Amino acid sequence: MRVFVLLFNARTENEGIHTIQLGDRNKVLMFESEDDATRFGVMLEAQDFPEPAVEAIDDEEIKEFCDSVDYDWELVPAGALAIPPEDNVTQTQWQQEPEPEPEPDSDVSQNELDSIRRRLEGLL
């Protein structure tokens, strides 16, 4: 059966799956409905999480993953209103992908760019 999970930094080396921590256990939520997973992701964003990607994955694959890392899992039925807990962990095991440093593609110095930025902000 296809289920939907929330991933952070999807398809990168720093990919992480959303879990809920209950005591010393982590639980992966598997949503039957893509809309429910998307709604849960929006609620996470409202709690200052980065935007998660909703990914369709075979439920057996998630269960095998959970067994391999000693996580619990829960199937959230379609139409059930899952709500993220109010308390969030402050340290994740994955980190948000850093913004790549822009490569200098012009001869404009940083000081000149700052000056232009200040003038543009002054126009607002």
Side-chain angles (χ1 to χ4, degrees), residues 108-123:
V108 180
S109 73
Q110 186 62 42
N111 288 338
E112 290 175 281
L113 288 175
D114 290 340
S115 173
I116 293 169
R117 185 179 296 116
R118 282 192 296 277
R119 284 186 278 168
L120 288 172
E121 288 172 350
L123 293 174

Side-chain angles (χ1 to χ4, degrees), residues 5-88:
V5 296
L6 301 174
L7 299 178
F8 297 101
N9 300 323
R11 293 179 281 296
T12 68
E13 289 182 19
N14 195 25
E15 185 175 70
I17 191 166
H18 177 266
T19 63
I20 294 179
Q21 190 172 30
L22 300 169
D24 62 346
R25 303 287 301 166
N26 286 301
K27 177 172 45 175
V28 173
L29 297 180
M30 300 185 303
F31 294 86
E32 283 185 338
S33 164
E34 183 176 10
D35 289 342
D36 292 341
T38 300
R39 186 176 309 111
F40 191 88
V42 169
M43 287 189 272
L44 287 176
E45 283 183 81
Q47 292 181 347
D48 295 326
F49 276 85
E51 181 180 357
V54 176
E55 295 286 328
I57 300 178
D58 185 70
D59 68 331
E60 290 301 319
E61 187 177 337
I62 294 297
K63 291 173 185 177
E64 287 174 18
F65 166 77
C66 289
D67 287 342
S68 72
V69 294
D70 196 30
Y71 285 0
D72 298 325
W73 55 268
E74 178 181 337
L75 182 63
V76 179
L81 182 59
I83 299 175
E86 290 184 26
D87 294 331
N88 296 316

Side-chain angles (χ1 to χ4, degrees), residues 90-102:
T90 56
Q91 181 63 38
T92 59
Q93 294 177 356
W94 57 272
Q95 296 302 318
Q96 193 169 356
E97 286 289 305
E99 293 287 326
E101 288 291 323

